Amino acid sequence: MARTMWDSSVGKKTVMAVSGLIMLLYLVAHVIGNLKIFFGAGEFNHYAHWLRTVGEPFMHYEWTLWLIRIVLVVAVVAHATSAYQLSRRDIRARPSKYVHKKPRASYATRTMRWGGIILGLFIVWHILDLTTGTVHSGGFQEGHPYQNVVDTFSTWYGDVIYIVAMLALGLHIRHGFWSAAQTLGVGSRTRERALRATADVLALLLTAGFIAVPVGVMTGVVS
Ligand code: HEM
């Protein structure tokens, strides 16, 4: 049953929609957390510490955080795998196999594909930058994310990488949210406008919220 579902295009689209919505929930929480940077180092670092102790004493130190990390990794892998397989299927199904010129994928398909690749690379960079500190520009300090974020956005390439990725994120969510609604059967002709508006507002709020942090550092509001 699960096998047949996974093999079907509808099954893969459902996996994409559900994993996408899980990541979207995470991003809503992440952007709210990030905005605490405007209330100073104390509040931001305190919040980062809470992320590690949440659920105690039922959970041990970092258990909840690891649970979230596992769910996110599963979601990212499921999302990318089904996207790749759907796009292979799409290419194979094209009728123009014997024609030299390949038909161009639609604008939406191309932005989703490239946006997805940019976001995948960004997530790897971002974790190496602000979680492990491997590619961090300043002296990375474990437990002091406020200073680490300020260091990242004090370099021109830090600003460029994050802002470009956040714009890609906005476009990806705008189209992805709407697609997910269609796949999950929430979409209808009457709801089309409302769904498109929700997707636009969500994408705009998330992009603006995330970009506010590098802009805050660049303008000296956060230092
Ligand atoms: C300007 C935008 C962003 C800023 C300033 C930012 C900041 C941070 C910081 C400071 C951490 C480390 C938290 C800690 O160790 O306590 C972190 C972790 C993380 N961020 Fe972001 N983030 C941004 C955008 C994003 C976006 C767009 C995504 C996803 C597409 C994302 C995904 C993650 C993930 C997966 C982690 C690792 C969580 C963990 O396992 O500890 N972030 N972020």
Side-chain angles (χ1 to χ4, degrees):
M1 166 75 180
R3 180 82 235 172
T4 331
M5 184 70 184
W6 170 246
D7 283 342
S8 73
S9 292
V10 179
K12 288 187 202 300
K13 283 184 186 168
T14 307
V15 169
M16 292 213 69
V18 173
S19 54
L21 289 174
I22 290 171
M23 292 189 281
L24 187 61
L25 269 181
Y26 171 77
L27 286 173
V28 170
H30 194 22
V31 79
I32 294 173
N34 281 358
L35 291 173
K36 294 197 178 64
I37 204 151
F38 291 99
F39 299 101
E43 185 155 341
F44 193 67
N45 292 343
H46 176 66
Y47 159 69
H49 178 71
W50 172 82
L51 279 178
R52 284 148 179 89
T53 55
V54 59
E56 280 181 5
F58 179 64
M59 298 297 252
H60 184 65
Y61 183 75
E62 285 199 347
W63 275 12
T64 311
L65 182 61
W66 274 104
L67 207 65
I68 298 171
R69 286 172 173 162
I70 293 166
V71 170
L72 280 178
V73 169
V74 172
V76 169
V77 171
H79 202 74
T81 312
S82 34
Y84 177 75
Q85 294 180 346
L86 278 168
S87 97
R88 298 297 310 160
R89 198 168 274 198
D90 196 36
I91 291 167
R92 263 185 271 125
R94 278 179 195 154
S96 53
K97 236 179 188 164
Y98 305 103
V99 181
H100 281 303
K101 206 162 154 271
K102 270 203 247 159
R104 235 163 130 67
S106 72
Y107 172 75
T109 305
R110 277 181 289 136
T111 25
M112 289 313 271
R113 192 176 294 164
W114 283 105
I117 293 169
I118 291 173
L119 289 169
L121 292 173
F122 165 76
I123 292 169
V124 173
W125 175 267
H126 181 42
I127 289 174
L128 294 176
D129 178 24
L130 288 173
T131 300
T132 65
T134 322
V135 299
H136 193 65
S137 51
F140 183 79
Q141 297 177 60
E142 182 109 43
H144 294 86
Y146 184 92
Q147 192 54 47
N148 296 333
V149 169
V150 171
D151 290 342
T152 287
F153 297 128
S154 300
T155 65
W156 67 267
Y157 62 87
D159 294 320
V160 171
I161 292 172
Y162 279 77
I163 292 174
V164 167
M166 292 317 102
L167 295 174
L169 180 75
L171 290 175
H172 205 79
I173 290 174
R174 188 168 177 246
H175 183 78
F177 181 82
W178 186 79
S179 291
Q182 307 306 309
T183 301
L184 299 177
V186 188
S188 71
R189 277 175 80 98
T190 46
R191 271 193 233 129
E192 160 121 21
R193 275 170 66 110
L195 274 174
R196 288 219 185 258
T198 311
D200 285 352
V201 171
L202 206 59
L204 199 71
L205 283 180
L206 279 172
T207 308
F210 278 122
I211 287 184
V213 180
V215 170
V217 177
M218 283 191 279
T219 53
V221 173
V222 175
S223 63

